[in-house]
Amino acid sequence: MKNIEIKIAGKPISAQPGETIVHALWAVGMAESVQTGCAGGVCGACTVTVRYADGKPGGTELACMKPVEEGMEVFPCPVEPDKAVEPVINPDALTLQSVFPTVNRCTKCGSCTTACPMSIPVMDSVMRMQQGDFDAVAEDFTTCIHCGLCRFVCEDKVKPHNMGLWVRRSLGKSQPELQMADEDLNLIEKEWQHLMTDDKQERIQRAKTFREKGSQ
Amino acid sequence: MEWAKESLEKVEGSRAARMKQQAPMPSDPDLILKNFHPDYSGKERTVNAGPNAGDQKFPLELADLLEADSPLPATHSTVTDIETDVLIIGGGGAGAAAALAFEGSGLNVHLATKLRLGDSNTVMAEGGIQAALAETDSPRRHFADTMVGGHGENEPDLLRILCEGGPKSIEWLSQLGCLFDRNPDGTFRLRGGGGTSVPRVLACRDYTGLEIMRVLKDAVRLSSTNVLEDHAAVELFDDGNSTVSGAVLYDRKKASLVNVSARAVILATGGSGQLRLQGFPTSNHVGATGDGLVLAYRQGCRLAFLDSYQYHPSGACYPEALAGQLVTEAIRSAGAQVVNSEGVHFINEMAYRDVLAAAIIKETQEGRGITTPNGKVGVWLDTPMIDLKNGEGALAKQFPGLIHRFERYKIDPVKTPVLIYPTLHYQNGGISIDSQCKTEVKGLWACGEVTGGLHGKNRLMGNSLLDILVFGRRAAESVKEKISERKLLTLNNLNEFRKSQLQKQITSPTFFPKASKMKLEIGKSAVEAETTDSSSSETSGGFEPPDPFAR
């Protein structure tokens, strides 16, 4: 197969068709030029911007997920984490506005939605944050990897992913406590003694029976 | 996927009939394991140096690292740069859980990670976390399932602690703000996993590890923990009397070594999938190179069960760019069958992971696999069955991550099965610890994937996310109780180790995958590293990225 020519921060390199930007960098010994973490699309370390030779619109990408294309120009675009904000119990729109005062500055340009590598409807969700529709916000940000690109591209200093996490954690903290069933402690200890026998052969036999029945 | 058309037609053709019946569990799982599981391929050997010299066998790739020399110059100074009470090494779930458990203790805590906080295997975990919450369940039943799955090799004391910690850990995560999937009636949705006798796996779609890690990471950032990112641990210090007293870190940004004096060190460095044993692909993050095993070994810690690794049965096999990445086991528990090139459902997909992986390898070796244009061979995971069984939209709702990753390659798992092959996933063995997470060397604790014993010789789905929470926090509790006075920094243990039969031509830890060609220039001064490495300053220099939205 023919090689693909791309540029990393202005430097030309050859890549194999079908490989990602990260693997193309590895192959030519330039791994350090883009920060990597999981190389599986979920840690958000390897944020880059890309431009295309043929004039098609460029944008933001995760280098570990984006396959190389002929004439592609790649620029590392590391995003520093923003200060964390303590979540609250029973959050509402007013509280969100007080801890994230920029939420109402959104001018609906849509850059955040375009920038999101996880296809989250970010801008729409910012609208929902303004209105306090937090269950929907939590759903929107289920797949957020906190790469920070939505915040990075926002000219109005709105911090969608930070707010998304704050909403999710706040809702999480507001959940009722888990009810643990009352249990017969003597019976429990008896079952443990049965399962934890010192004889290794006997132990696995007892485990086999116990798992079928749920008791000894 | 025109190249697989013929086989795909067979898979579709047999689907209606397969839907109605279950495939049997293998009649002789031990035989399949012995003949086809990579642990039994014989690609292992004993080592000639350190506490395990001459006893148990290690995979060849790991054995080399255990016998390798340290990259630290013999003349390295022992002057303290950072003084802390506790040094946690590792920025994944175990390290973060440990850090949070120190809040309010008054101890000064530093957490060092080679990458950024949270860049770990934890964040990549998809399927879920086990906790005995169902009515018909109990921590004892969780114990029994896990013991059988681990072939009876699990350390019973550790395993009991894990299982008893399940419900409490879910409560702890919930109070931190984790959102797990719930049923319409508000109870946690519990799914089965390979080897669970009752539904016990909680999840947040197929992003469970991401949900847990982003919450832990946020909580750590809000805590008093001092986080040192891009700081790789190169070596441990001892006090000259075999007690660990700190660590040498390498600051990747400044290209310089940093000596940390600590009253207690917790290793939470995770696994070693990036050693890519026997040429297998891996589902692991780029930092999973077994660094913690090497560091602890040089201090005299014995390693256990490292002849046993977990090869996850469903690693992606096509497209090439996704090779080795995880396709979660939860898809199998939700009803997707494992099918060979002839459309035959050759094994029950809820068999234990090691047995299923071996059975898939058997199919491909015996000519019933599907060969990709890149020459890889795999079998089908019949993902379209999910919607057929659970209603239209079920796959997309429950497994958005799967859809998201494949759609870029114009593959829709709702309509087309995905090709899978086992991928190196988890280090079953590791550093021996006691029930307080203490290693055999004073001053050193360990928790999470870097340890060995808990999972025996085969780990069940959902037990590693639980492991890092239960034992991460437990290590911290033990440190709080047992922490000693500050000790001297010496490199005595390293110098002693250097007298044994080492392979002087290589050094370890390796820090990064071989394939990445990344090397830390340890031993060079910052100035030297900068002047010799002109290419990196040219490429990562301070330029402004262009506006991606300019039209």
Side-chain angles (χ1 to χ4, degrees), chain B residues 76-84 110 228 231 237 247-249 256-261 489:
Chain B
H76 181 67
S77 116
T78 55
V79 175
T80 302
D81 297 305
I82 295 176
E83 200 172 88
T84 185
H110 281 69
L228 302 167
H231 279 64
F237 284 118
V248 186
L249 308 178
S256 62
L257 292 166
V258 181
N259 292 345
V260 181
S261 158
L489 298 187

Short mmCIF file of all heavy atoms in Angstrom, two decimals, chain B residues 76-84 110 228 231 237 247-249 256-261 489:
data_model
loop_
_atom_site.label_atom_id
_atom_site.label_comp_id
_atom_site.label_asym_id
_atom_site.label_seq_id
_atom_site.Cartn_x
_atom_site.Cartn_y
_atom_site.Cartn_z
N HIS B 76 24.38 8.54 41.39
CA HIS B 76 23.22 9.40 41.67
C HIS B 76 23.20 9.88 43.12
O HIS B 76 23.37 9.10 44.05
CB HIS B 76 21.92 8.64 41.36
CG HIS B 76 20.70 9.47 41.59
ND1 HIS B 76 20.40 10.57 40.82
CD2 HIS B 76 19.73 9.41 42.54
CE1 HIS B 76 19.29 11.13 41.27
NE2 HIS B 76 18.86 10.45 42.31
N SER B 77 22.96 11.16 43.29
CA SER B 77 22.97 11.75 44.64
C SER B 77 21.73 11.35 45.42
O SER B 77 20.70 11.00 44.83
CB SER B 77 23.07 13.27 44.53
OG SER B 77 21.90 13.88 45.05
N THR B 78 21.82 11.41 46.75
CA THR B 78 20.66 11.06 47.58
C THR B 78 20.15 12.28 48.34
O THR B 78 19.53 12.16 49.39
CB THR B 78 21.01 9.93 48.56
OG1 THR B 78 22.15 10.33 49.31
CG2 THR B 78 21.32 8.64 47.84
N VAL B 79 20.42 13.45 47.79
CA VAL B 79 19.92 14.67 48.43
C VAL B 79 18.43 14.82 48.17
O VAL B 79 17.96 14.63 47.05
CB VAL B 79 20.67 15.90 47.86
CG1 VAL B 79 20.09 17.21 48.42
CG2 VAL B 79 22.16 15.81 48.16
N THR B 80 17.67 15.13 49.22
CA THR B 80 16.21 15.21 49.10
C THR B 80 15.78 16.48 48.36
O THR B 80 16.22 17.57 48.68
CB THR B 80 15.57 15.23 50.51
OG1 THR B 80 15.98 14.05 51.18
CG2 THR B 80 14.05 15.28 50.42
N ASP B 81 14.90 16.29 47.38
CA ASP B 81 14.30 17.43 46.69
C ASP B 81 12.90 17.72 47.23
O ASP B 81 12.51 18.86 47.37
CB ASP B 81 14.20 17.16 45.18
CG ASP B 81 15.57 16.99 44.54
OD1 ASP B 81 16.40 17.91 44.69
OD2 ASP B 81 15.81 15.94 43.91
N ILE B 82 12.13 16.66 47.45
CA ILE B 82 10.77 16.81 47.99
C ILE B 82 10.66 15.95 49.23
O ILE B 82 11.06 14.78 49.23
CB ILE B 82 9.71 16.36 46.96
CG1 ILE B 82 9.71 17.27 45.73
CG2 ILE B 82 8.31 16.32 47.60
CD1 ILE B 82 8.75 16.81 44.63
N GLU B 83 10.12 16.55 50.31
CA GLU B 83 9.91 15.78 51.53
C GLU B 83 8.41 15.63 51.74
O GLU B 83 7.67 16.62 51.70
CB GLU B 83 10.52 16.54 52.71
CG GLU B 83 10.80 15.68 53.89
CD GLU B 83 11.58 16.45 54.96
OE1 GLU B 83 10.93 17.10 55.80
OE2 GLU B 83 12.82 16.39 54.94
N THR B 84 7.94 14.41 51.89
CA THR B 84 6.51 14.17 52.08
C THR B 84 6.31 13.06 53.09
O THR B 84 7.25 12.30 53.37
CB THR B 84 5.84 13.82 50.74
OG1 THR B 84 4.43 13.71 50.94
CG2 THR B 84 6.35 12.50 50.17
N HIS B 110 1.86 13.05 48.44
CA HIS B 110 2.20 13.33 47.04
C HIS B 110 1.80 12.13 46.21
O HIS B 110 2.04 10.99 46.61
CB HIS B 110 3.70 13.59 46.87
CG HIS B 110 4.12 14.97 47.28
ND1 HIS B 110 4.12 15.39 48.58
CD2 HIS B 110 4.55 16.03 46.53
CE1 HIS B 110 4.52 16.66 48.64
NE2 HIS B 110 4.78 17.07 47.40
N LEU B 228 1.86 15.09 41.11
CA LEU B 228 3.03 15.30 40.26
C LEU B 228 2.80 14.55 38.94
O LEU B 228 3.00 13.35 38.86
CB LEU B 228 4.30 14.76 40.94
CG LEU B 228 4.65 15.34 42.31
CD1 LEU B 228 5.74 14.49 42.98
CD2 LEU B 228 5.11 16.79 42.17
N HIS B 231 5.66 12.57 35.98
CA HIS B 231 6.78 12.17 36.84
C HIS B 231 6.82 10.64 36.89
O HIS B 231 5.97 10.02 37.53
CB HIS B 231 6.61 12.72 38.25
CG HIS B 231 7.05 14.14 38.41
ND1 HIS B 231 6.44 15.18 37.75
CD2 HIS B 231 8.06 14.69 39.15
CE1 HIS B 231 7.04 16.32 38.09
NE2 HIS B 231 8.02 16.06 38.93
N PHE B 237 14.20 4.35 47.03
CA PHE B 237 15.27 4.49 48.02
C PHE B 237 14.99 3.56 49.19
O PHE B 237 13.83 3.29 49.51
CB PHE B 237 15.31 5.91 48.58
CG PHE B 237 15.90 6.95 47.67
CD1 PHE B 237 15.13 8.02 47.22
CD2 PHE B 237 17.24 6.88 47.29
CE1 PHE B 237 15.68 9.00 46.41
CE2 PHE B 237 17.79 7.86 46.48
CZ PHE B 237 17.01 8.92 46.03
N ALA B 247 11.64 7.66 46.80
CA ALA B 247 11.77 7.24 45.40
C ALA B 247 12.48 8.30 44.57
O ALA B 247 12.45 9.49 44.91
CB ALA B 247 10.38 6.97 44.80
N VAL B 248 13.09 7.83 43.51
CA VAL B 248 13.66 8.75 42.52
C VAL B 248 12.64 8.86 41.40
O VAL B 248 12.22 7.86 40.82
CB VAL B 248 14.98 8.20 41.92
CG1 VAL B 248 15.60 9.25 41.00
CG2 VAL B 248 15.94 7.77 43.00
N LEU B 249 12.21 10.07 41.11
CA LEU B 249 11.27 10.30 40.02
C LEU B 249 12.00 10.99 38.87
O LEU B 249 13.02 11.65 39.07
CB LEU B 249 10.10 11.18 40.48
CG LEU B 249 9.35 10.77 41.74
CD1 LEU B 249 8.26 11.79 42.07
CD2 LEU B 249 8.73 9.38 41.57
N SER B 256 14.59 16.04 34.30
CA SER B 256 15.51 15.96 35.44
C SER B 256 15.00 14.98 36.49
O SER B 256 13.81 14.67 36.56
CB SER B 256 15.67 17.35 36.07
OG SER B 256 14.42 17.79 36.57
N LEU B 257 15.94 14.48 37.30
CA LEU B 257 15.59 13.52 38.35
C LEU B 257 15.23 14.26 39.63
O LEU B 257 15.82 15.30 39.95
CB LEU B 257 16.78 12.58 38.60
CG LEU B 257 17.08 11.61 37.44
CD1 LEU B 257 18.44 10.96 37.62
CD2 LEU B 257 15.99 10.54 37.32
N VAL B 258 14.25 13.73 40.36
CA VAL B 258 13.76 14.36 41.59
C VAL B 258 13.79 13.31 42.69
O VAL B 258 13.20 12.24 42.55
CB VAL B 258 12.30 14.84 41.39
CG1 VAL B 258 11.78 15.51 42.66
CG2 VAL B 258 12.17 15.76 40.19
N ASN B 259 14.48 13.59 43.79
CA ASN B 259 14.52 12.65 44.92
C ASN B 259 13.42 12.98 45.92
O ASN B 259 13.36 14.09 46.43
CB ASN B 259 15.88 12.73 45.63
CG ASN B 259 17.01 12.20 44.75
OD1 ASN B 259 16.77 11.53 43.74
ND2 ASN B 259 18.23 12.53 45.12
N VAL B 260 12.58 11.99 46.19
CA VAL B 260 11.49 12.19 47.14
C VAL B 260 11.77 11.37 48.39
O VAL B 260 11.98 10.16 48.31
CB VAL B 260 10.13 11.77 46.54
CG1 VAL B 260 9.01 12.03 47.55
CG2 VAL B 260 9.86 12.51 45.25
N SER B 261 11.75 12.04 49.54
CA SER B 261 11.85 11.33 50.81
C SER B 261 10.44 11.16 51.36
O SER B 261 9.69 12.13 51.44
CB SER B 261 12.71 12.16 51.79
OG SER B 261 12.42 11.78 53.12
N LEU B 489 17.92 8.37 53.02
CA LEU B 489 17.84 7.93 51.63
C LEU B 489 19.17 7.29 51.23
O LEU B 489 20.20 7.96 51.25
CB LEU B 489 17.56 9.11 50.69
CG LEU B 489 16.26 9.90 50.86
CD1 LEU B 489 16.12 10.91 49.73
CD2 LEU B 489 15.05 8.96 50.89
#
